[in-house]
Amino acid sequence: MKKKVLKDIDCEGKKVLVRVDFNVPLDGGEVTDINRLEAAEPTIRYLMDNDAKVILMSHLGRPGGEVVEELRMDPVASELADLLGEEVTKIDDCIGEEVGLAVSEMAPGEVLLLENTRFYPGEKANDPDFAGKLAQPADIFVMDAFGAAHRAHASTVGVARYLPSVAGFLLQRELNALGEVMENPEHPFLAIMGGAKVSDKLEVIRNLYNKIDYLIVGGGIANTFIAAQGYEIGESLAERDKLDLARELVAEAKNQNVELILPEDVVVADRFAADAESRTVPIDSIPEDWQVLDADGPRSLKKYKEIIKQMKTIIWNGPMGVFEFDKFAVGTNEIAKAVAESEAHSVIGGGESASAVRKAGYARQMDHISTGGGATLTFFEGKSLPAVEALDNV
Ligand code: ADP
Ligand code: MG
């Protein structure tokens, strides 16, 4: 990596401001998933062990530039303290006197968590004045929030103008893992694309065509492709104004020598519900009032599994169906199993894809599960991440 990393700097006794991604799911004031805290732990622990004063900041949810009581970082602080087995001091602001005071009272190796950065409009606006205030109490900036690295905000990009700035371990690990598959993939190389919207994935698919040999299209985005072939898709989720685009992508795949594989049969439901009535049909027989909730019928799955078995590299983004409903999680789970059991180097990217793989119980068998959603997609689009660009060069 051409950017400076944590190991390149001496942090002993220094006040180190770390941008982490603690944008965790909350339910009734409780953190329901601590994956993101665990992902940040190596950097935090390294700084603690090296006697830095560790000042953590993150956004949480979408408070829209003002204080929202339910989006305070307090539940995160207590989960983090449990995880680290150390005390974590939480304060109710992220800039200003209160922060300065708290930092001046820190001993080396201690951890301080600042308040939600999005309580200020200057965060998303990347206001230089606000960024200066965030940077003010610190000596060094460590960027470790891979999940927010595609956003040019004050806490991800702005602060880097004021402080020596390096990548933390998580950011480093993500960039290495994703960089490896994009730059040096072993062939044959398969991309599996699912999820909700074609328009979200369009640029990703286009960029991947330069690298991959096979593309399996599943999930909600398959519906748009099925419709583009002229079949009835009933009430299915689809972007009906994007049929031309889907046809273009099919043609482009041919030009680029990519074998594009669409489902042959799908699981349809009479409504969008966990207990909907369901049946498996070939794609030319989707009933008018029904909707596709799982893109992979048994015939499609059989074909996919044969391909997966032969691959050397696989990247997967987007669930193959509405995996949140058990009844329609079969395709997603079966693909997860096939990818996990294959010998291919496997990289999973995307918020829902990652949780689908975890839920299916195959997380440990994957080579890399990215902690980023948008950041991973931006990376797969072949674009640079603003928060990485902002770091010091080696
Ligand atoms: P990721 O977060 O992995 O990038 P997306 O955000 O693109 O994935 O899409 C995930 C969502 O797509 C899931 O919540 C899933 O329910 C939904 N989805 C997948 N297939 C379908 C479908 N056939 N109809 C409606 N929604 C679907
Ligand atoms: Mg998503």
Side-chain angles (χ1 to χ4, degrees), residues 19 59 117-118 120-128 130-131 134 141 143 145-161 374-375 378 384-391:
R19 175 54 158 100
H59 79 279
T117 51
R118 284 201 191 164
Y120 286 93
E123 163 69 331
K124 287 184 83 169
N126 192 9
D127 172 33
F130 177 66
L134 285 172
F141 173 54
M143 173 62 189
F146 175 73
H150 59 308
R151 301 204 166 102
H153 292 170
S155 68
T156 56
V157 167
V159 284
R161 288 226 333 248
T378 305
S384 63
L385 301 169
V388 175
E389 292 296 304
L391 300 175

Side-chain angles (χ1 to χ4, degrees), residues 60-124:
L60 176 59
R62 301 169 183 271
E66 57 185 67
V67 176
V68 172
E69 288 303 325
E70 298 75 49
L71 294 176
R72 288 197 180 276
M73 300 297 290
D74 297 66
V76 178
S78 67
E79 282 299 331
L80 182 64
D82 283 352
L83 180 70
L84 297 173
E86 302 281 345
E87 208 174 300
V88 172
T89 308
K90 150 77 182 37
I91 54 171
D92 292 340
D93 212 334
C94 60
I95 55 169
E97 248 168 69
E98 196 185 344
V99 180
L101 193 68
V103 171
S104 71
E105 285 170 356
M106 288 175 86
E110 285 187 352
V111 181
L112 176 72
L113 178 61
L114 305 182
E115 189 52 276
N116 192 342
T117 51
R118 284 201 191 164
F119 284 178
Y120 286 93
E123 163 69 331
K124 287 184 83 169

Side-chain angles (χ1 to χ4, degrees), residues 178-185 207-208 211 315 379-382:
L178 301 178
E180 196 180 289
V181 288
M182 293 302 272
E183 280 149 35
N184 263 322
N207 185 50
L208 288 176
K211 328 243 172 203
I315 59 176
F379 198 96
F380 286 157
E381 284 172 8

